[in-house]
Amino acid sequence: MSDELMRAKARAARMKEFAEGDGGLFEVFKAVEASYLDTWMNAEVENTDLREKVWHRVCALRDLRKAMEGAIAKGATADAIIAKMAQANTGRRKMRV
């Protein structure tokens, strides 16, 4: 198994637990995003500076979440590759000498 695949798998497992676990980062992101959107929707229409700053924060949160989901997905892919390699290795016949 490739060291790179093993590192990706381990990184994804840590990231998944940190992000998706009970009280994880994705729950925090959801709460913060809801707060930002509430601020954005209740801001005066003329207050474009505030509305724009809040909207950029919402976009940044979403981008960060996408990046984290990508790392988790990459680890899941690495896990599938490792499992397939392990399965292929168990199916080999030994050569007779």
Side-chain angles (χ1 to χ4, degrees), residues 1-89:
M1 286 178 240
S2 159
D3 286 343
E4 185 178 333
L5 288 175
M6 294 300 289
R7 283 192 301 273
K9 179 182 173 181
R11 189 172 41 251
R14 289 190 310 271
M15 180 83 65
K16 184 172 183 163
E17 177 61 31
F18 181 67
E20 296 177 354
D22 189 32
L25 198 55
F26 287 169
E27 286 183 26
V28 173
F29 283 3
K30 186 176 179 179
V32 170
E33 183 176 333
S35 174
Y36 284 162
L37 289 174
D38 184 60
T39 300
W40 181 75
M41 290 188 310
N42 292 312
E44 296 293 326
V45 174
E46 297 81 20
N47 194 349
T48 55
D49 287 341
L50 173 64
R51 293 170 62 85
E52 190 167 325
K53 285 178 186 177
V54 170
W55 183 248
H56 284 287
R57 290 177 182 173
V58 168
C59 292
L61 274 175
R62 290 177 179 173
D63 289 344
L64 185 54
R65 182 180 176 124
K66 283 181 191 176
M68 293 176 75
E69 288 171 340
I72 292 168
K74 186 176 180 180
T77 301
D79 195 29
I81 292 169
I82 291 167
K84 194 169 190 169
M85 288 170 61
Q87 183 181 19
N89 286 339

Side-chain angles (χ1 to χ4, degrees), residues 87-97:
Q87 183 181 19
N89 286 339
T90 59
R92 290 185 182 167
R93 292 190 297 176
K94 294 184 179 179
M95 291 180 26
R96 293 186 200 183
V97 181

